[in-house]
Amino acid sequence: MGPHPAVAAIRLAVRRVLHDVLTDLHRHAGHDRPAGTARRAAHAAPAPLAGAAAADGPRAALPERPDTPLVLVACSGGADSMALASALAFEARKLGVRAGAITVDHNLQQGSALRAAEVVTRLTAMDLDPVEAVAVHVGREGGPEAAARDARYAALDAAAERHGAAAVLLGHTRDDQAETVLLGLARGSGIRSLSGMADASGPASRYRRPFLRLDRQTVRKACLVQSIPVWDDPHNTDPAYTRSRLRHEGLPALEKALGKGVVEALARTAQLSRDDADALDTWAAEAEQSVRDGDGGLTCAGLYALPPAVRRRVLRRALIEAGSPAGSLFARHLEEVDRLITGWRGQRAINLPGRVEATRQGGRLVIRQS
């Protein structure tokens, strides 16, 4: 008798991502390792697994190799990330991959250090190694949710570098994707914002999201049937947070008004939007060279001839290169700079985030940091 369908679903999702990680390692680092390393790893014998995932029976140990890649899971102790940790622990040794975990203590709640220690204990019981808790300081820039996210990713980046991890797995589900699309829609940030979270993101596709096509209910069910204890973060139900209000009020209201299937439709919209955004980004990267003059500046005539969606992408790239933080550049900023091209009336210089200034001079768009 096989595992419960929910358990089988999460393991299959993780198995596919691990295969992708091994394939990418073989493709990009083949000159540094034997050509057959990834293939041998993919066909390696299974290894023993402790904790909940060991219920499928004992397995022969897999000898650890110096070139065995390490994959970390970012685990808060919630159902999504604990299910991900259990699936990683089960699948990694079958594919010749080392599996570890990082839990980030945001220091936002009383007793958070104790909860982080409990999560470390549970992850260690799954035979994950290394396992560590990392405490961070959450600032205020961009609001509490954005600040916590920035601090978390900074800690995960540092941990991945410190341990030499090939990838870090994140437990975002299809429900999280739907919420992200709606938040992007509310901000009016354009098609890239509507594309939600990517399957792989970050430097060298470090971050992987195996559960983006699985709903939250399936993931929680996998924890329940494996008797994996989980911690429900009270922030996830706190109406002070925008995502929490959307999750518990906004999405249910949409489903009541429009019927079931809203989450699936939003997730599908994210994928379609991502495909379109990727194509436009490629077009913009190619078009940028055609609007540069001999000195590398941007010509207003060349920019004006581009389709608006492509032109705005060229402008955004130029602003970021000049020093504007990508997370602080909004549609209104791009609209103001775009008017220097399409609605020139002798406007003054546009001040932008990162002390970047955009101005039109002699038929050229000059972008520089003040």
Side-chain angles (χ1 to χ4, degrees):
M1 182 177 178
H4 187 278
V7 177
I10 66 170
R11 289 178 179 174
L12 177 59
V14 169
R15 189 183 317 146
R16 287 172 171 165
V17 166
L18 293 182
H19 274 295
D20 289 343
V21 171
L22 288 172
T23 299
D24 289 348
L25 284 174
H26 174 59
R27 180 184 301 119
H28 298 299
H31 59 281
D32 293 328
R33 54 200 293 238
T37 299
R39 289 193 296 274
R40 288 196 302 271
H43 292 90
L49 188 64
D56 290 291
R59 301 179 181 274
L62 180 70
E64 191 170 293
R65 301 164 52 101
D67 58 354
T68 301
L70 169 67
V71 175
L72 298 172
V73 57
C75 186
S76 66
D80 301 345
S81 58
M82 288 299 289
L84 182 58
S86 73
L88 174 63
F90 182 83
E91 294 292 338
R93 288 158 181 80
K94 294 167 61 179
L95 295 175
V97 175
R98 293 169 54 216
I102 303 294
T103 185
V104 178
D105 174 13
H106 296 84
N107 283 304
L108 294 176
Q109 301 171 15
Q110 187 174 4
S112 63
L114 177 59
R115 279 190 291 273
E118 291 172 350
V119 172
V120 167
T121 299
R122 292 170 185 171
L123 295 171
T124 303
M126 292 181 180
D127 279 356
L128 296 174
D129 181 39
V131 176
E132 67 177 33
V134 180
V136 299
H137 170 73
V138 177
R140 297 183 178 181
E141 186 175 352
E145 292 165 286
R149 182 177 61 249
D150 290 345
R152 179 166 60 253
Y153 276 100
L156 293 175
D157 278 334
E161 295 291 340
R162 185 166 60 252
H163 293 290
V168 178
L169 305 189
L170 305 176
H172 299 122
T173 65
R174 188 170 63 190
D175 299 75
D176 295 309
Q177 184 75 298
E179 294 162 8
T180 301
V181 172
L182 284 176
L183 289 171
L185 182 63
R187 287 193 297 267
S189 302
I191 194 171
R192 176 55 72 185
S193 186
L194 292 182
S195 65
M197 296 175 284
D199 292 306
S201 64
S205 296
R206 167 178 290 159
Y207 294 106
R208 310 284 179 132
R209 298 175 175 86
F211 291 170
L212 280 185
R213 288 161 186 79
L214 297 178
D215 60 61
R216 191 174 289 137
Q217 184 176 358
T218 296
V219 174
R220 293 192 72 91
K221 185 68 173 179
C223 286
L224 179 63
V225 299
Q226 294 179 101
S227 300
I228 297 175
V230 300
W231 173 65
D232 289 317
D233 187 346
H235 281 172
N236 290 335
T237 57
D238 188 343
Y241 294 95
T242 304
R243 187 177 286 269
S244 174
R245 294 195 302 274
L246 180 59
R247 179 175 301 179
H248 298 287
E249 301 174 24
L251 268 174
L254 281 176
E255 291 202 331
K256 182 178 180 180
L258 303 176
K260 295 294 183 181
V262 170
V263 168
E264 293 87 343
L266 288 169
R268 188 165 57 251
T269 296
Q271 185 57 57
L272 294 171
S273 298
R274 181 164 296 279
D275 292 343
D276 290 348
D278 288 345
L280 287 167
D281 285 346
T282 300
W283 186 356
E286 296 170 351
E288 183 176 355
Q289 300 308 313
S290 69
V291 298
R292 294 280 184 183
D293 60 21
D295 297 326
L298 294 168
T299 65
C300 294
L303 287 166
Y304 185 86
L306 294 176
V310 177
R311 182 173 59 247
R312 285 192 293 268
R313 280 167 168 75
V314 172
L315 294 175
R316 179 178 173 83
R317 286 166 58 95
L319 293 172
I320 292 173
E321 287 175 5
S324 272
S328 301
L329 274 178
F330 302 126
R332 59 183 175 84
H333 296 129
L334 292 177
E335 288 170 1
E336 290 180 16
V337 177
D338 195 48
R339 278 196 289 270
L340 295 176
I341 308 300
T342 62
W344 175 240
R345 298 291 186 272
Q347 299 98 312
R348 294 182 178 179
I350 307 298
N351 294 317
L352 300 153
R355 296 185 297 106
V356 170
E357 179 183 274
T359 187
R360 178 166 174 157
Q361 295 178 358
R364 299 171 74 244
L365 184 68
V366 178
I367 299 174
R368 60 192 171 206
Q369 201 164 34
S370 60

